[in-house]
Amino acid sequence: MKPLHTYSVIPKLPKSLHALWDLAQNVWFDWNHDVTGLFSQIDPKLWARSYGNPIAFLNHLPQATLESLARDDFFLERLRSVKHSQDIYLERKSTALPFAYETSQPLVAYFSLEYGLSLCLPIYSGGLGILAGDHLKSASDLNIPLVGVGLAYQQGYFRQYLTGDGWQNERYPDYDFTQMPMELVRDQKQKPVLVNLDLAGQPLLAQIWQVQVGRIRLYLLDTNTPDNPDHLRQITSRLYGGDLEMRIWQEILLGIGGIKALNALGLTPRVIHMNEGHSAFAGLERIRMFMTNDGLSFEAAMELTASTSVFTTHTPVPAGNDRFPAELMQRYFDGYARSLGLAFKVLLALGREDPRNDAEWFCMTVLALRLSRFNNGVSELHGHVSRRMWQKVWPQYPVEDIPIGTVTNGVHIASWVARDIAMLFERYLGGNWKEDPDCTRVWQQAETIPDGELWRAHERLRERVVDYARSRLREQLINRGARHKEVQEAEEVLDPQILTIGFARRFATYKRATLLLADKERFLRMLTDSKRPVQFIFAGKSHPHDNEGKRFMQQLVQFCQQREVRNRLVFLEDYDMEVAEYMVQGCDVWLNTPRRPLEACGTSGMKAIANGVLHVSTLDGWWVEAHQMDSAVGWAIGQGEEYQDSAYQDFVESQILYNLLEKEVIPTFYDRGQTNLPREWIRRMKKCLQLFTPVFTSHRMVADYVKNAYEPAYKNSVSLMEDDFAPAKQLASWRMEIMTKWNALRVTNVQAEVPEVLYVTQPMDIQADVYLNGLSPEDIRVEIYAGPVTVDGSFAQRGTTRMTLTTPLNNGWYRYTGQFTPDAPGRLGFTVRMLPDHKLLLDPHSLGLIHWAQ
């Protein structure tokens, strides 16, 4: 039987405690130790049971406790102080970044399928979500006018538990949003604001939840309402759950529904940022709205949309990018294509690498690439991998010219630095370390932290993670029904005084969690060494459908359970933000073993280095850039080689890893002087803080997006929308003319005076004749394309120099001249190319049009 009515009962806070609600309802608490300390002081045990959720915590406090606090002058003074800090933070309007403001509207809408903001908001699975959460936090700290859009998952990602033999199982708890720091958005009549969508003739309604993230608002769409049939209520049930149809429903809701939600809320951001291809349908909906609301043609609306869209790709393997078969797309987008004035086949072409291949599935990443003029990978290496991976979208271009750039990821330092370390920063770096953590000058002061203080703080954190691991392991064993003796033995695992290495991440096979097991005898000798002992803490989840990843996990867990090493190896179940926090703060070494080049970036190591934890990793993702800055701070597994034979690669790199641990990492840790301090280890810790922390921060990352994408995209929006969208219409008309006439254009008769010996810095004159087929010279740019060549005659590198029109010839022909000046000796080559050019065209490569000299 169900109740006739349901309602929520909340505690009656005395007037003097009302500020507790303000602190609890803003996720600012997640990166402010004073706030969490205030709540935990009230009832430490209840705070721990509340998983750091201040809303649930307040809702479970006895009324008597609240009345007592209201009479506690010391507590009230502390509450006033913390609330004053929040007020100052929220009221500050200035920003260190030059970014235009217009009224109170957000300028950027950030779309992501998941957000890792806090342990008490379980709407994330791993790195992609944590990155999105850190992006919002840094946007808040930097006062960027940005709003977030996502989905509210009733069951979130799965919770993990292991069987006795180490096999991963999943459970899906139902979360109560009213017990979380989120609030249902209502209109003036206190009715929920709803978004209406159409799924192949099925009406779908979504309500909107708001999460306050410092100064930033995050809006989450939720279909779990009585207005929807049961199967549609499941759309926002689980993150990454269900089949292909469920995935397309979720991505329609995020992209199309997200744009509709912003419109329903009266928000009109000029720029959208698509974090991975999941939200690419947002580009289509923006086109439709520009056509419907502003009377633009499809071509003009597409140019305006692409010129004001940012797309970040995260997945370096084709299989990791969402694709849908044509029949599934037709079911949900046949009518949508007609609303855009397109044949369905033309819409499909927008999501195909080869638009003419009718057998190719529709790819969300390709759609996002085509509907954005600001595309980027998330590390320098990943940018190169992405240009190679998506070269078919721009088939005429060399890899170097594919319009996918790089913005290396970063982490929100204040969210991940341990309180003990943060206190040292306050003392020796000054107050700027948190508000401006990308300031190199501030972080140079890390050298002034006394060795003894830094090491004692780190040792406390190691003791903390060991205690936490013992507690978690004990809980795991009890839940598994283990014998009493096993539970007792869990209290003795690990040693808070010895070298502790952490490995925690998604258990995808390419991350090679079992690389240490390649030579078990050698690994055992390392673990059981009585003079220089070492221990490992592992954690991670495998996707529910990834049985190979689960087998990797099972092998590792079963090895951890062997009696001779069970005190030196621990696997912590249910990897989440809490487990990650303890590990990145308390381990001595962070181990990362992806098979290059399959790690797009990998941000867990960035969180570790911000706590002075040293890094050991293959040269993949962000570690390539860090290692280039200073190769003597952490350790690299190999020299960045890429192998055709993955089994051979695993063998070679496992041996390198063993050698690194045995001959460098372990000896450096145990090399102690008379003061019993590992001076060389501490020197490396300080160097980590000085060099890497100001670079691999989400503040620097967001600043890069502002400078390289948000600001220029905003300016494009202003330019293209002037005079009733006249520039957008003109750009679309120009593009259509270019596309129509382009094939007949030619670059011929390239001539150069090449002496027998050409010296460095000696210029070489080059000329070329160009046929424009009725186009104006202002419509194109002609460039010398030159650089070193390899043995097979292809370019190893390239530079471009723009040529100048010197002589109009007859019948649409023109002569261009230019100079190429070699800046280094060697075997060089050159050619000439022609690209479209327009003052409103952001990147001449974006149209995919090019002619090479014949």
Side-chain angles (χ1 to χ4, degrees), residues 642-710:
E642 295 181 20
Y643 298 76
Q644 296 298 317
D645 185 337
S646 59
Y648 179 68
Q649 179 178 2
D650 294 351
F651 170 76
V652 170
E653 292 181 344
S654 68
Q655 301 308 303
I656 296 173
L657 175 56
Y658 291 137
N659 288 334
L660 275 178
L661 294 175
E662 292 169 346
K663 298 177 180 179
E664 296 191 40
V665 179
I666 297 173
T668 304
F669 181 84
Y670 285 107
D671 182 12
R672 310 292 173 97
Q674 291 184 347
T675 57
N676 199 34
L677 292 176
R679 297 287 184 180
E680 172 59 19
W681 193 277
I682 296 170
R683 185 193 70 80
R684 290 175 180 246
M685 291 174 67
K686 289 184 178 180
K687 205 71 174 175
C688 258
L689 297 174
Q690 286 179 291
L691 289 181
F692 298 160
T693 306
V695 174
F696 299 104
T697 160
S698 53
H699 278 41
R700 187 273 312 150
M701 174 187 74
V702 170
D704 283 353
Y705 278 116
V706 169
K707 177 183 177 182
N708 300 320
Y710 297 168

Side-chain angles (χ1 to χ4, degrees), residues 522-529 534 658 661-662 666:
R522 190 173 180 182
F523 190 33
L524 281 169
R525 288 196 301 271
M526 191 187 308
L527 293 168
T528 55
D529 188 326
V534 60
Y658 291 137
L661 294 175
E662 292 169 346
I666 297 173

Side-chain angles (χ1 to χ4, degrees), residues 94-129:
S94 62
T95 176
L97 300 175
F99 198 26
Y101 281 80
E102 57 175 38
T103 65
S104 59
Q105 284 286 345
L107 299 188
V108 181
Y110 184 90
F111 286 72
S112 182
L113 199 59
E114 53 175 300
Y115 288 90
L117 290 162
S118 173
L119 180 68
C120 63
L121 279 172
I123 54 173
Y124 65 94
S125 72
L128 179 72

